Amino acid sequence: MFSRSRSNLALWFTLTMGSILVGFASVLYYQEVLDSLRNLDQLLDKKSRVMAVNAKYDTLKQQLDLENVPLLGSNVSPVDSELVYARWYDTQKQMVQFFGATPPLGLTTTLGFHTIKPEYHQVRGTFRDAWLRELTLPIYQDDLLIGYLQVATPLTYTQNDLAHLRLVLLLTVPATLLIIGLAGWWLGGLAMQPIRESYDQLQRFTADASHELRSPLSAINSNAQYGLISNNPSVQRQRFENIVDVAKSMSTLINNLLLLARHAGRLTAESLQPVDLKSELLKIADQYTKLEIAQHINLTYKLPNNSLIVLGDADLLHQAVVNLLTNACKYTKAGGQVQLNLFAQSSWAVIEVIDTGMGIPEADLPHIFERFYRVDKKRARSSGGYGLGLSIVQQIVSAHGGYIRVKSVIDKGSTFKIILPL
């Protein structure tokens, strides 16, 4: 699904940018054609007017350097060898003198510039097919029309330049389209990444929930069925108590899963409020000294004299610290010690939970923050754990722009550090 969507995004991006590129290349080529013709016309006009400065009938032969050349079929170059032909017509538009291929006896071309392709024309004694740029202009002397001058120059160099430009465009446009397509594929991947992550998160949430809820639902079903068929009130009461316990466990699991799904990514700026970590940790420490889970251990805490303020969600940070303390108390043997510390380090606030428990094997350390990962599956199941506590801690810390560090030694204990920006 995502590959198809990514391909569609890349295709539409390529078509859009490709259309713009082809349009730009077409405008560029058209403008180059106009500029080339304009430059050629200016040059041809300049040459023609130089030839026609003293263009009187009795001096035209000298201007064209045709004094010893027959009127027809001449192959002698005029003054400017770049001209293909030069023709002089009288005021009645009848041929008087010419150089180059045999022209029509009368002037039939309108005045101005024209691009023509005659069937053949003579260039230095040979016949070639070529496009020509022709200029026909009237010649005046003392405001009196004395004739018409018609000259032409080949478009060979202009055509070669345009052919070279076409070749460049023919090579660069497809190459650029290929680059645009690859860029569209890459940008499509970037654009789809948040959607893909959200989709993967939803799939993972659904899979995790269905997997973990299957066992408690089976327990509820079996206890309910057994309670219905039993006539012993004490047995029925025991079954109903089991159902209540399993339901509470399911509620905890669902709340944890919802917490993971709801707080993925960074918290919004609107949800951030100043949180006094010293005050929050003091409340947690006082609360835990009264809980049964901490009665078998020595729980101490060390807090700074001054308050440490961070921007965040107080309830979520409370949940993260409680999860760490719960694990520390749960996996520390009777008579062990759990210490809760808070201190500032540069521009960061550090919450430290240190225990003298059984520790975590080095091979398991890279995986302890994965969902439903249990270092000791039997121990976790018997104690009612689902392997979500540390995942929740990591996600809450990441949502606050912080990070978590852990060090552990087997049979000596573990140290967890929550590091948050002040």
Side-chain angles (χ1 to χ4, degrees), residues 281-356:
L281 294 188
L282 187 60
K283 293 177 184 178
I284 295 174
D286 290 340
Q287 172 189 355
Y288 258 77
T289 56
K290 304 172 184 177
L291 294 179
E292 181 180 355
I293 192 174
Q295 296 303 312
H296 68 288
I297 61 170
N298 181 23
L299 177 61
T300 61
Y301 56 88
K302 184 179 179 181
L303 305 178
N305 295 327
N306 300 324
S307 298
L308 292 182
I309 308 298
V310 297
L311 288 178
D313 186 303
D315 293 334
L316 293 179
L317 293 175
H318 182 97
Q319 177 75 42
V321 177
V322 165
N323 284 4
L324 290 183
L325 278 179
T326 300
N327 280 350
C329 294
K330 186 184 300 183
Y331 301 125
T332 299
K333 296 179 180 180
Q337 184 173 351
V338 175
Q339 186 173 359
L340 176 63
N341 299 328
L342 173 65
F343 56 92
Q345 190 174 61
S346 184
S347 59
W348 301 85
V350 181
I351 303 172
E352 197 173 54
V353 177
I354 305 173
D355 66 66
T356 59

Side-chain angles (χ1 to χ4, degrees), residues 43-53 63 83 135 137 139 149-152:
L43 182 62
L44 187 60
D45 181 73
K46 183 178 180 180
K47 292 179 179 180
S48 302
R49 295 190 182 280
V50 169
M51 293 178 62
V53 169
Q63 178 68 23
L83 295 177
L135 172 61
L137 60 114
I139 305 300
L149 179 63
Q150 186 178 75
V151 295

Side-chain angles (χ1 to χ4, degrees), residues 218-422:
S218 299
I220 290 175
N221 187 44
S222 61
N223 278 283
Q225 289 178 345
Y226 193 87
L228 288 174
I229 63 176
S230 176
N231 295 324
N232 189 336
S234 62
V235 173
Q236 289 181 338
R237 180 178 180 82
Q238 181 183 3
R239 293 297 177 178
F240 291 147
E241 289 177 350
N242 291 340
I243 291 175
V244 172
D245 293 338
V246 174
K248 289 180 179 179
S249 176
M250 288 178 60
S251 177
T252 301
L253 172 62
I254 292 172
N255 290 335
N256 288 339
L257 288 173
L258 289 175
L259 182 65
L260 288 169
R262 191 179 296 121
H263 298 288
R266 292 292 298 270
L267 295 175
T268 60
E270 295 78 10
S271 63
L272 298 178
Q273 299 293 331
V275 179
D276 185 351
L277 291 180
K278 178 183 176 181
S279 176
E280 289 295 327
L281 294 188
L282 187 60
K283 293 177 184 178
I284 295 174
D286 290 340
Q287 172 189 355
Y288 258 77
T289 56
K290 304 172 184 177
L291 294 179
E292 181 180 355
I293 192 174
Q295 296 303 312
H296 68 288
I297 61 170
N298 181 23
L299 177 61
T300 61
Y301 56 88
K302 184 179 179 181
L303 305 178
N305 295 327
N306 300 324
S307 298
L308 292 182
I309 308 298
V310 297
L311 288 178
D313 186 303
D315 293 334
L316 293 179
L317 293 175
H318 182 97
Q319 177 75 42
V321 177
V322 165
N323 284 4
L324 290 183
L325 278 179
T326 300
N327 280 350
C329 294
K330 186 184 300 183
Y331 301 125
T332 299
K333 296 179 180 180
Q337 184 173 351
V338 175
Q339 186 173 359
L340 176 63
N341 299 328
L342 173 65
F343 56 92
Q345 190 174 61
S346 184
S347 59
W348 301 85
V350 181
I351 303 172
E352 197 173 54
V353 177
I354 305 173
D355 66 66
T356 59
M358 59 186 64
I360 303 171
E362 185 177 354
D364 292 309
L365 284 177
H367 307 286
I368 60 175
F369 295 106
E370 296 176 5
R371 296 184 185 185
F372 301 106
Y373 186 84
R374 302 177 182 89
V375 176
D376 188 337
K377 295 178 174 56
K378 292 182 179 179
R379 186 179 71 239
R381 281 297 188 187
S382 64
S383 60
Y386 286 98
L388 292 176
L390 292 180
S391 297
I392 292 174
V393 174
Q394 185 188 49
Q395 189 154 312
I396 291 174
V397 173
S398 297
H400 285 80
Y403 53 96
I404 186 169
R405 295 288 182 265
V406 57
K407 292 190 298 183
S408 186
V409 179
I410 293 295
D411 295 329
K412 290 187 177 180
S414 304
T415 299
F416 286 85
K417 290 183 179 181
I418 294 177
I419 305 174
L420 300 170
L422 287 173

